[in-house]
């Protein structure tokens, strides 16, 4: 056995790890590839380059950045791999409190990763077991040819006793005679004594077996002599020879066996050495017993202390677990919107409501800064909005406009299918509950009257993307994908994420139209319709859930005649607004949460937007 596998002479309590020998590397072939790693509830799943090497799992931002160092790593020795119960592409890696949520591109890819990780762990654990056993075995060097009596044959440990001291000091088992020696050192001595004793027992056994064989051969020889010369009576000489004098010429003799000649073994020396070895074992064993007795009290105190510590930790763990269940914020992907979410509807709603409250507070703080930004109000003439144009979606736009003019302006106040959910002053919000495949598709309709603004002005600020970020607080970013005509654009926008709900995005065509009244006594109608479309430059991604919308803002301006010859002022105008929304949010958000959020957010949106239009048009010429 090599030196690095012998007992640690310093008496350390730690096991000795097996070292890498030349030509026998410890590591096996590495495994690497891209996996999606859960980062946090803001950024969600991100692709990371993951490397499995030398019993360690490391990840990098990308394959090109491996030379700059890993962003994190896990040792597989104590890691627990948990394939997800429902998601066939996901596996979780945990070491104590640290958890990595990983997703492969498909179930087969996940299976390859799990097999590679388990292979690394099993090989590593096998080496540790082998190295740990070898690290505890002490094999003494070949014993001297002269026997076992030399002290050098026993000095396999820094604190090892010689045979002389063991035999002469058998009674010296007090702790003072072993001062400075640990129990582990004494156990090492016991190992060495045991090996020597086993060799001595084997040697003595061989000696006794040889003696037994010699006696058997002697008896056989005697029986043979008696059979050959049964009529003669031999004379026995003192030298052990038997003489047969039948004819005076034939003489046969038998020499008695000498033990010293059997395998050249010194029986007396072997017996003395055997006695000395057993005495050393008894002395060391006695000292071990003394050490354990003296340590018993301290061990018991440490045990009681550890048990009390464990009891407190268990109580703290239970308390923390109960607190965690009460909280609505959980960091892992299992506690966000999804088909197998572990968060219940109440917790989901509380989290969404808290996030919306935070957004409202941030919006109030930033609203003052927004009002300072002045933009030129370049408004196109009304003739530009009289038709749907000649672009490829013009027929679809015309169809949507006619549908809204026919159905959206109908009074729903007496319809039993529509529920009045909010009534604040002139504003009323109605909802009709509709679900399809578990997804809430409730149509919503709101009516409102706003003084001092016209239908043209309301639709202008609702349609023009230049003002979108001033009044829309739920949008994270947006861009115009394609401009179809002066009054039609295709817009892509992502909405701010409201944890634990997934982030939504929407791609829609927005068109603004002016519908002339068929009767001169009726007001003209301004309308903005937004409906979902597909576009090659804004395809759905895994980062967001794509929502589908069909929304219309329909406005009519009512003018009350001024007194006398006065000109019409903003005090004489009133805008009647009808807002309809049909939204398919997609995803797996609970129905009760979606309805509660809609009831809260739609009235706030109408009040916020109409107040914005009033502020923007105050003191400016009326735009009919």
């Amino acid at each position: 056995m090599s030196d690095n596998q012998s007992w640690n002479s310093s008496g350390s309590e730690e096991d000795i790890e097996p070292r890498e020998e030349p030509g026998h590397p410890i590591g096996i072939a590495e495994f690497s590839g891209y996996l999606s790693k859960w980062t946090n509830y803001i950024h969600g799943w991100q692709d990371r380059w993951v490397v499995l090497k030398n019993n360690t799992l490391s990840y990098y931002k990308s394959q090109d950045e491996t030379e700059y160092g890993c962003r994190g790593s896990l040792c597989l020795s104590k890691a627990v791999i948990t394939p997800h119960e429902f998601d066939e592409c996901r596996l979780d890696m945990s070491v104590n409190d640290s958890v990595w949520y990983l997703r492969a591109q498909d179930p087969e890819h996940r299976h390859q990763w799990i097999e590679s990780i388990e292979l690394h762990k099993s090989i590593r654990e096998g080496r540790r077991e082998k190295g740990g056993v070898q690290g505890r075995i002490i094999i003494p060097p070949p014993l001297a040819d002269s026997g076992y009596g030399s002290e050098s044959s026993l000095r396999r440990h820094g604190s090892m006793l010689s045979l002389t001291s063991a035999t002469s000091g058998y009674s010296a088992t007090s702790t003072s005679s072993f001062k400075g020696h640990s129990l582990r050192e004494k156990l090492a001595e016991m190992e060495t004594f045991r090996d020597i004793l086993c060799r001595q027992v084997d040697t003595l056994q061989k000696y006794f077996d040889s003696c037994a064989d010699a006696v058997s051969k002697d008896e056989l020889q005697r029986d043979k002599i008696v059979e050959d010369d049964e009529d003669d009576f031999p004379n026995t000489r003192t030298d052990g020879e038997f003489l047969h004098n039948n004819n005076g010429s034939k003489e046969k003799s038998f020499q008695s066996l000498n033990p010293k000649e059997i395998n050249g073994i010194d029986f007396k020396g072997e017996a003395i050495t055997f006695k000395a070895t057993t005495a050393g074992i008894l002395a060391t064993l006695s000292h071990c017993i003394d050490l354990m007795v003296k340590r018993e009290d301290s061990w018991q105190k440490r045990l009681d202390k550890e048990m009390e510590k464990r009891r407190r930790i268990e109580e703290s763990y239970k308390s923390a677990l109960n607190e965690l269940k009460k909280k609505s914020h959980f960091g892992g992907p299992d506690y966000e919107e999804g088909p197998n979410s572990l968060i219940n509807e109440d917790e989901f709603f509380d989290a969404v409501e808290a996030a919306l409250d935070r957004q409202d507070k941030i919006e109030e703080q930033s609203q003052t800064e927004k009002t300072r930004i002045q933009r030129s109000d370049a408004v196109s003439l009304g003739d530009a909005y009289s038709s749907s144009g000649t672009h490829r979606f013009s027929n679809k736009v015309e169809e949507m406009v006619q549908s809204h003019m026919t159905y959206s302006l109908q009074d729903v106040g007496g319809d039993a299918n529509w529920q009045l959910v909010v009534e604040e002053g002139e504003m009323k919000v109605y909802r009709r509950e509709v679900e399809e495949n578990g997804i809430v598709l409730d149509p919503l309709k709101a009516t409102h009257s706003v003084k001092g603004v016209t239908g043209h002005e309301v639709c202008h600020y609702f349609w023009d993307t230049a003002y979108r970020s001033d009044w829309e607080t739920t949008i994270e970013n947006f861009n115009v994908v394609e401009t179809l005509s002066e009054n039609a654009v295709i817009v892509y926008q992502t909405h701010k994420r409201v944890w634990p709900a997934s982030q939504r995005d929407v791609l829609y065509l927005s068109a603004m139209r002016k519908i002339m009244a068929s009767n001169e006594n009726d007001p003209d109608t301004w309308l903005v319709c937004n409906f979902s479309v597909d576009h090659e430059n804004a395809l759905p991604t895994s980062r967001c859930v794509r929502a589908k919308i069909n929304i219309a803002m329909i406005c009519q301006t009512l003018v009350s005649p001024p007194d006398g010859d006065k000109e019409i002022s903003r005090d004489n105008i009133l805008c009647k607004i009808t807002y309809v929304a049909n939204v398919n949010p997609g995803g797996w958000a609970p129905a009760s949460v979606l309805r509660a959020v809609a009831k809260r957010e739609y009235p706030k949106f109408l009040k916020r937007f109409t107040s914005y239009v009033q502020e923007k048009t105050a003191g400016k010429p009326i735009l009919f």
Side-chain angles (χ1 to χ4, degrees):
M1 179 176 292
S2 60
D3 291 340
N4 65 324
Q5 292 174 317
S6 64
W7 189 264
N8 185 358
S9 62
S10 64
S12 172
E13 296 290 332
E14 298 180 356
D15 295 341
I16 299 176
E17 294 287 347
R19 299 178 183 173
E20 182 175 339
E21 300 291 344
H24 297 82
I26 290 180
I28 61 175
E30 70 175 68
F31 189 75
S32 58
Y34 276 104
L35 289 175
S36 295
K37 182 178 182 296
W38 174 262
T39 54
N40 52 53
Y41 76 91
I42 296 178
H43 300 290
W45 297 97
Q46 299 289 332
D47 289 340
R48 294 290 182 260
W49 179 257
V50 183
V51 177
L52 176 61
K53 182 179 181 181
N54 293 338
N55 203 44
T56 302
L57 192 69
S58 307
Y59 78 91
Y60 306 82
K61 186 174 182 181
S62 65
Q63 186 177 4
D64 299 332
E65 295 190 6
T66 54
E67 59 184 10
Y68 301 119
C70 68
R71 295 199 165 198
S73 61
L74 284 179
C75 179
L76 300 181
S77 300
K78 297 182 178 181
V80 178
I81 311 170
T82 308
H84 197 266
E85 183 178 1
F86 303 105
D87 191 342
E88 296 183 351
C89 298
R90 179 174 149 192
L91 64 150
D92 300 344
M93 298 284 298
S94 60
V95 177
N96 298 328
D97 295 333
S98 178
V99 182
W100 286 9
Y101 304 102
L102 304 173
R103 290 190 85 255
Q105 59 187 7
D106 51 51
E108 179 64 26
H109 194 205
R110 182 187 77 165
H111 182 66
Q112 293 176 2
W113 273 101
I114 293 177
E115 280 193 340
S116 299
I117 293 172
E118 293 290 358
L119 178 62
H120 274 253
K121 286 186 64 178
S122 61
I123 292 180
R124 182 67 175 180
E125 289 172 359
R127 288 199 179 97
R128 287 180 62 85
E129 290 178 4
K130 182 179 179 181
V133 172
Q134 291 179 345
R136 290 181 173 84
I137 296 177
I138 305 170
I139 300 179
L143 301 174
D145 294 337
S146 60
Y148 302 95
S150 64
E151 294 185 10
S152 61
S153 65
L154 291 179
R155 295 189 179 277
R156 300 305 302 151
H157 196 276
S159 65
M160 189 63 65
L161 299 176
S162 66
L163 284 178
T164 303
S165 64
T167 54
S168 62
Y170 169 70
S171 61
T173 59
S174 64
T175 56
S176 60
S177 63
F178 296 102
K179 187 176 181 180
H181 301 306
S182 68
L183 181 62
R184 188 175 286 269
E185 291 175 337
K186 292 302 163 186
L187 293 176
E189 293 177 5
M190 294 282 288
E191 290 278 357
T192 303
F193 279 132
R194 184 200 65 183
D195 293 338
I196 296 175
L197 186 62
C198 289
R199 290 174 181 268
Q200 291 173 342
V201 170
D202 291 341
T203 302
L204 292 175
Q205 186 63 49
K206 291 179 181 179
Y207 172 78
F208 293 138
D209 292 343
S210 299
C211 290
D213 292 340
V215 171
S216 298
K217 291 180 180 179
D218 185 17
E219 291 178 352
L220 291 174
Q221 187 68 25
R222 289 177 184 272
D223 292 341
K224 185 177 181 180
I225 292 174
V226 171
E227 291 175 358
D228 292 342
D229 303 310
E230 58 182 1
D231 295 333
D232 297 333
F233 298 94
N235 294 323
T236 304
R237 295 185 179 180
T238 58
D239 57 0
E241 293 181 350
F242 296 95
L243 300 178
H244 304 273
N245 298 320
N246 289 336
N247 53 12
S249 61
K250 183 179 179 181
E251 184 176 12
K252 186 178 291 185
S253 65
F254 173 75
Q255 183 68 32
S256 63
L257 296 173
N258 188 351
K260 291 185 178 181
E261 294 179 0
I262 300 177
N263 296 330
I265 296 176
D266 182 3
F267 177 74
K268 184 177 181 180
E270 292 294 336
I272 293 174
T273 307
F274 182 82
K275 180 180 179 180
T277 305
T278 53
I281 291 177
L282 293 176
T284 305
L285 183 60
S286 177
H287 178 68
C288 291
I289 294 173
D290 287 345
L291 286 177
M292 288 187 287
V293 170
K294 289 192 174 184
R295 291 186 181 183
E296 183 177 4
D297 293 337
S298 62
W299 286 344
Q300 186 62 44
K301 292 179 180 178
R302 290 177 61 183
L303 177 61
D304 294 340
K305 185 177 180 180
E306 289 297 324
M307 291 181 66
E308 178 64 20
K309 183 178 179 181
R310 177 177 177 175
R311 184 185 65 80
R312 293 178 180 177
I313 292 175
E314 288 178 349
E315 291 179 355
S316 300
Y317 171 76
K318 292 179 181 179
S319 177
L321 189 61
N322 291 332
E323 289 295 326
L324 188 63
K325 290 180 180 179
K326 295 179 182 178
K327 294 182 179 180
S328 61
H329 184 284
F330 301 86
D334 293 323
Y335 293 91
E336 64 169 1
E337 177 187 350
N340 306 303
S341 177
L342 300 182
I343 189 170
N344 59 45
E345 289 192 15
D346 292 337
E347 293 170 337
F348 198 106
F349 175 75
D350 291 341
V352 169
E353 189 174 40
L356 292 174
D357 289 339
R358 288 194 297 270
Q359 289 186 7
D360 290 344
K361 186 175 293 186
I362 294 173
E363 180 61 26
E364 290 175 2
Q365 295 174 354
S366 62
Q367 190 63 37
T368 304
E369 184 65 24
K370 288 182 179 180
T371 56
R372 297 175 184 173
I373 302 174
Q374 300 295 329
R375 293 189 179 90
S376 60
D377 296 338
V379 183
S380 301
L381 298 177
D383 293 340
Y385 304 101
S386 299
S387 66
S388 300
T390 57
H391 52 81
R392 65 182 184 279
F393 289 103
S394 58
N395 292 335
K396 183 65 174 177
V397 172
E398 189 64 29
E399 178 185 343
M400 299 299 292
V401 168
Q402 294 304 321
S403 175
H404 286 301
M405 291 299 296
T406 302
Y407 301 106
S408 298
L409 292 178
Q410 293 179 356
D411 185 14
V412 296
D415 193 335
N417 294 325
W418 289 86
Q419 303 174 11
L420 178 63
V421 293
V422 176
E423 183 174 7
E424 296 181 10
E426 296 292 333
M427 180 175 60
K428 295 180 181 180
V429 179
Y430 299 89
R431 179 181 66 205
R432 183 161 56 90
E433 293 189 0
V434 177
E435 287 191 28
E436 183 177 325
N437 297 327
I439 299 177
V440 175
L441 304 176
D442 294 353
L444 184 138
K445 184 174 184 178
T447 60
H448 195 22
S449 298
V450 184
K451 291 183 179 181
V453 297
T454 66
H456 187 180
E457 292 169 335
V458 172
C459 288
H460 166 70
Y461 287 105
F462 184 74
W463 177 79
D464 197 334
T465 56
Y467 306 100
R468 184 69 51 84
S469 59
D470 290 347
W471 56 268
E472 178 60 274
T473 60
T474 65
I475 292 179
E476 183 176 87
N477 56 65
F478 68 92
N479 64 285
V480 177
V481 178
E482 183 180 355
T483 301
L484 301 174
S485 64
E486 291 186 20
N487 65 335
V489 293
I490 295 179
V491 180
Y492 171 77
Q493 65 188 31
T494 57
H495 292 263
K496 296 176 182 177
R497 185 181 182 190
V498 182
W499 190 90
S502 301
Q503 189 172 22
R504 260 69 177 179
D505 65 356
V506 60
L507 177 69
Y508 62 93
L509 186 151
S510 181
M512 181 174 172
R513 286 287 307 278
K514 178 184 178 182
I515 309 299
M516 302 299 293
S518 57
N519 190 332
E520 61 179 8
N521 295 324
D522 294 335
D524 295 337
T525 302
W526 286 86
L527 178 145
V528 175
C529 62
N530 300 335
F531 57 91
S532 294
V533 294
D534 295 325
H535 199 283
E536 59 182 7
N537 293 337
L539 299 176
T541 65
S542 59
R543 180 173 176 266
C544 298
V545 175
R546 179 62 58 89
K548 301 293 185 180
I549 65 170
N550 182 8
I551 295 172
M553 177 75 76
I554 307 171
C555 303
Q556 293 177 331
T557 306
L558 303 180
V559 181
S560 59
D563 296 335
D565 296 333
K566 293 181 180 180
E567 293 183 358
I568 297 177
S569 66
R570 291 195 177 272
D571 295 333
N572 303 118
I573 59 177
L574 177 71
C575 181
K576 297 192 67 174
I577 299 174
T578 301
Y579 179 81
V580 292
N582 292 273
V583 179
N584 181 349
W588 299 270
S592 60
V593 176
L594 290 175
R595 291 189 172 112
V597 171
K599 181 178 178 181
R600 163 187 166 141
E601 291 301 309
Y602 278 116
K604 288 173 58 177
F605 151 71
L606 274 178
K607 289 190 293 185
R608 181 174 62 247
F609 172 68
T610 53
S611 298
Y612 170 78
V613 176
Q614 287 176 322
E615 292 175 4
K616 292 293 289 183
T617 57
K620 295 180 180 179
I622 301 175
L623 181 64
F624 289 100

